[in-house]
Amino acid sequence: MLATFQILVVTTLLASFAYWLLPARWVEGRRAVLLVVSGVLIYIYSPATLFLAVATALLAWALYALTRRHPQYGWLPWLIVLPLVLNAIAPLGDLIPFPAGSPRSVLFTSLTTLGMSFYTFKLYASIKQGLKLQSLPFREILTTTLFFPAFPMGPIDASQKFDHAALSRDPDVRRWAMGLGRIGMGAIKAYIIGGWIKSTAAIYVFGVPMDAMYDRGPDGPVQALLFAFFSFAYLYVNFSGFTDVAIGAGWMFNLDLTENFRFPLIAHSIQNFWQRWHLSLSKFITAYMFKPMLRRTGRTTLTLVVTFTLIGLWHETTVGYLLWGFGHGSALALTAWYRTLKRPPLPIPFVVRRVGGIAITLTFVSLMSTIANQPSNRALARYVLSFVGVHVA
């Protein structure tokens, strides 16, 4: 993992130098630098994934053209999720012949499932914005799909982040240096802090590393709850760390990727949590799923439950993520309903309510995250049963 990160940093440095050597008027030359470097990196790790990414970008371009020609079929852009659905039913790597020796197992699954999840949403947003602007060049679609720092984990940005205006900016040495610092901050979070949580701290508390805890299962409800906090903390530093790397790399090319986290560990309600966690996904959900569905149903609570259940399955088609989506949607729906009630304020000091809200929210999201990320249905059942003192070997 660390060797992979070193390759990414060196590649970003060299690519940024090549990028800025080209004058601002050579926009397509700069774009070529981004596309060639991104394509080569993705191909090295998995030719199959590069093939699927380009094929999905072509599908997005075709859907844009069809929707623009036939605006009465407003559902056409959602067909961009077809590759994701097909991959969930039967892994595409087993259906399409690729060069001998192409990685297909753990790495291919990770890049395809996570990468495809993110770039399908990027492409949907690109189609919608392209229809609004009446313009969506394929080169912009391909750039937002392949841009290597954001490829596996986002943020979810539409292709307009890579348009002519974005790529024609003058060099900014200050932003370049800040980007390098942001990459370093991300590395500290993902590798140093994340590594400490995953191994040293976990061994001190549980006697084994976190990976072994997934295999062994917790001994009783206290250990299960502690494991939830540990696993969510690791998820946060890892996810936000790699997002920092993507944003920092973007700054080195003077590109503005969306900030994805705003101190989610101090969220005081589930609603406030989604105003702080994975902000590019929250923005996408609100604009393209929640609001359109709410206009059709007129029922906030139902829309929240259905939307987040679908988002859970978007992450991964497992029982754990189904429960994660349903749990978050139900919690948001319950919060929305409760806030409609006419009631006197609770006779509890503000500080107590705020601290209590943070504790309850952090406990809930940690439990949901740990349930979602169990490696199998058996492990999921074992984890849930541990809260009632039942240990399944």
Side-chain angles (χ1 to χ4, degrees):
M1 287 289 290
L2 193 54
T4 302
F5 175 76
Q6 291 168 341
I7 291 171
L8 185 145
V9 172
V10 171
T11 302
T12 304
L13 285 169
L14 295 176
S16 67
F17 293 151
Y19 183 90
W20 292 123
L21 283 173
L22 299 173
R25 66 181 181 276
W26 290 14
V27 170
E28 298 313 316
R30 289 181 172 182
R31 187 184 305 280
V33 171
L34 297 181
L35 288 175
V36 169
V37 172
S38 299
V40 168
L41 281 178
I42 297 169
Y43 181 87
I44 289 172
Y45 288 109
S46 173
T49 299
L50 178 61
F51 175 89
L52 291 173
V54 174
T56 309
L58 284 167
L59 174 62
W61 196 39
L63 291 173
Y64 161 74
L66 281 171
T67 309
R68 186 174 177 181
R69 180 172 295 183
H70 304 286
Q72 68 272 27
Y73 301 125
W75 49 267
L76 279 171
W78 278 115
L79 293 180
I80 193 62
V81 303
L82 274 179
L84 188 61
V85 174
L86 291 173
N87 189 65
I89 297 170
L92 296 176
D94 297 329
L95 301 178
I96 304 172
F98 292 107
S102 299
R104 292 191 184 184
S105 57
V106 176
L107 180 62
F108 176 72
T109 302
S110 175
L111 283 178
T112 302
T113 303
L114 282 176
M116 190 183 289
S117 294
F118 283 107
Y119 63 69
T120 48
F121 274 14
K122 291 179 188 180
L123 292 174
Y124 181 85
S126 298
I127 295 170
K128 297 295 285 187
Q129 290 192 25
L131 290 169
K132 185 177 181 180
L133 298 171
Q134 294 293 294
S135 175
L136 185 58
F138 178 69
R139 58 187 179 273
E140 292 181 11
I141 293 179
L142 196 59
T143 311
T144 193
T145 304
L146 299 184
F147 185 56
F148 66 96
F151 183 79
M153 295 188 183
I156 299 170
D157 283 314
S159 60
Q160 286 69 30
K161 292 282 187 177
F162 301 90
D163 63 9
H164 185 280
L167 269 62
S168 62
R169 293 169 184 158
D170 292 327
D172 189 329
V173 177
R174 180 173 171 272
R175 290 201 85 201
W176 188 94
M178 288 173 60
L180 194 60
R182 185 75 180 262
I183 291 174
M185 183 175 73
I188 290 172
K189 289 164 73 173
Y191 291 103
I192 297 178
I193 301 175
W196 178 81
I197 293 172
K198 192 175 182 181
S199 56
T200 306
I203 291 172
Y204 178 78
V205 175
F206 305 114
V208 294
M210 278 182 57
D211 290 342
M213 278 294 292
Y214 279 108
D215 297 329
R216 190 191 75 182
D219 297 322
V222 173
Q223 196 173 87
L225 185 59
L226 286 174
F227 181 66
F229 291 134
F230 267 72
S231 60
F232 183 71
Y234 174 73
L235 171 68
Y236 170 60
V237 296
N238 192 57
F239 191 7
S240 65
F242 281 107
T243 301
D244 287 335
V245 170
I247 292 171
W251 287 353
M252 293 179 73
F253 298 98
N254 209 359
L255 299 171
D256 296 316
L257 303 187
T258 300
E259 290 290 345
N260 232 7
F261 296 93
R262 190 181 295 125
F263 307 107
L265 299 185
I266 60 171
H268 54 81
S269 68
I270 189 63
Q271 187 179 59
N272 187 239
F273 174 79
W274 280 102
Q275 293 167 348
R276 296 172 177 273
W277 175 269
H278 207 339
L279 299 179
S280 61
L281 177 61
S282 297
K283 182 179 178 181
F284 181 94
I285 293 171
T286 302
Y288 301 119
M289 297 182 71
F290 176 75
K291 286 184 177 179
M293 196 180 301
L294 181 61
R295 284 195 293 267
R296 288 178 176 272
T297 65
R299 300 175 63 183
T300 302
T301 54
L302 176 64
T303 302
L304 284 167
V305 173
V306 172
T307 298
F308 273 86
T309 301
L310 291 174
I311 288 297
L313 295 174
W314 165 79
H315 280 82
E316 197 171 343
T317 50
T318 62
V319 174
Y321 268 107
L322 174 65
L323 294 173
W324 177 92
F326 182 79
H328 274 272
S330 299
L332 285 163
L334 183 61
T335 301
W337 168 79
Y338 181 73
R339 289 181 175 176
T340 62
L341 301 178
K342 294 181 179 180
R343 65 194 189 285
L346 295 173
I348 302 174
F350 173 79
V351 173
V352 175
R353 282 189 284 118
R354 182 54 55 93
V355 172
I358 293 172
I360 293 170
T361 303
L362 183 58
T363 300
F364 176 78
V365 298
S366 297
L367 288 171
M368 288 292 100
S369 175
T370 308
I371 286 172
N373 288 291
Q374 292 297 317
S376 67
N377 291 339
R378 181 178 178 81
L380 172 59
R382 182 174 56 199
Y383 180 73
V384 173
L385 288 172
S386 67
F387 280 95
V388 293
V390 177
H391 182 75
V392 179

